[in-house]
Amino acid sequence: MKHPFEYEIIYSSRKTIAIQVTRDGRVLVRSPRQCSRSYIDNFVSNNENWVLKHLASVKELEEQKKSAASSHPPLSSKDRSRYIEIARDIFTRKTEYYARIIGVSYGRISIREQKTRWGSCSSKGNLNFNWRLILAPEEVLDYVVVHELAHRREMNHSKTFYAIVESVLPDYRKARKWLQDNGQLLWERV
């Protein structure tokens, strides 16, 4: 069968078949080993509209990025350092404040510019925060700090973990949703 896009099949010991459109516009079909090529091809045909919609979204996002990149010159190392220092001050104060409320300790705080994470907490209690969060609304920063500190009590994303987050920030879902919906904008602002 001919499709308006190429796709790659990845066989594994999984039980179900699934399609993924990556951020760079590749189409991956994850399939159980026992699936025939014709079954996979039919599955792709049945989901062609979904794939095309997601490929269009990827293309649109790429065009937005190009447009944003041309309107924002690359950040100088001096400006980046200044933003990192501002972020270090903000996250240090917020972490101290919320750690007292949650009743946890933590190790060192690092300010980074990870492409795929807003924050992280190591098993030793070291915290990493993405400096670009300082461009987000205040409640989003609070959510990320509380989220990472909650990992000091629960190193997972269980109901117990989110109960800790909710006990400190009852409206945390709004901040989490803002980050999911608008996080990409933080890369385009500066």
Side-chain angles (χ1 to χ4, degrees):
M1 240 178 263
K2 189 77 177 134
H3 300 287
F5 50 83
E6 301 275 320
Y7 65 90
E8 178 185 343
I9 302 171
I10 300 172
Y11 291 100
S12 68
S13 58
R14 62 183 293 134
K15 292 182 175 22
T16 59
I17 188 170
I19 298 177
Q20 174 188 9
V21 176
T22 65
R23 286 183 181 180
D24 60 355
R26 292 183 309 134
V27 179
L28 305 177
V29 178
R30 300 185 182 279
S31 172
R33 285 190 177 88
Q34 68 272 18
C35 278
S36 68
R37 181 64 194 237
S38 61
Y39 180 85
I40 293 169
D41 219 30
N42 282 332
F43 182 80
V44 171
S45 290
N46 291 337
N47 290 283
E48 203 167 90
N49 288 338
W50 181 91
V51 173
L52 290 171
K53 183 178 96 178
H54 282 78
L55 285 172
S57 294
V58 166
K59 187 176 180 182
E60 185 180 326
L61 192 59
E62 271 309 306
E63 287 168 7
Q64 287 173 356
K65 279 183 193 174
K66 284 178 188 167
S67 158
S70 63
S71 64
H72 291 294
L75 204 55
S76 72
S77 58
K78 182 180 176 185
D79 286 341
R80 180 173 274 108
S81 294
R82 191 169 50 87
Y83 281 121
I84 288 171
E85 284 313 306
I86 292 168
R88 186 178 316 285
D89 181 51
I90 291 169
F91 282 112
T92 299
R93 284 187 284 113
K94 286 186 175 294
T95 301
E96 286 171 1
Y97 174 77
Y98 284 114
R100 279 195 303 274
I101 290 173
I102 298 171
V104 294
S105 62
Y106 55 91
R108 99 188 115 67
I109 296 173
S110 296
I111 306 300
R112 303 213 172 130
E113 189 176 31
Q114 310 98 309
K115 293 281 186 208
T116 57
R117 288 184 156 188
W118 297 114
S120 63
C121 175
S122 75
S123 57
K124 293 180 180 174
N126 295 324
L127 305 173
N128 295 311
F129 297 105
N130 192 317
W131 73 260
R132 288 184 177 269
L133 282 166
I134 65 172
L135 305 170
E138 186 91 17
E139 58 271 15
V140 174
L141 274 76
D142 292 340
Y143 164 67
V144 174
V145 170
V146 169
H147 180 108
E148 298 314 330
L149 287 170
H151 281 309
R152 296 295 293 136
R153 300 235 315 262
E154 289 286 323
M155 274 305 261
N156 55 50
H157 290 112
S158 63
K159 285 183 181 178
T160 306
F161 168 83
Y162 280 108
I164 295 165
V165 174
E166 191 169 29
S167 73
V168 180
L169 299 174
D171 284 348
Y172 80 90
R173 287 176 186 86
K174 284 184 195 169
R176 185 174 67 181
K177 176 137 181 52
W178 188 95
L179 204 49
Q180 289 166 345
D181 294 347
N182 303 291
Q184 186 59 41
L185 296 175
L186 303 181
W187 290 96
E188 297 164 9
R189 288 196 178 153
V190 289

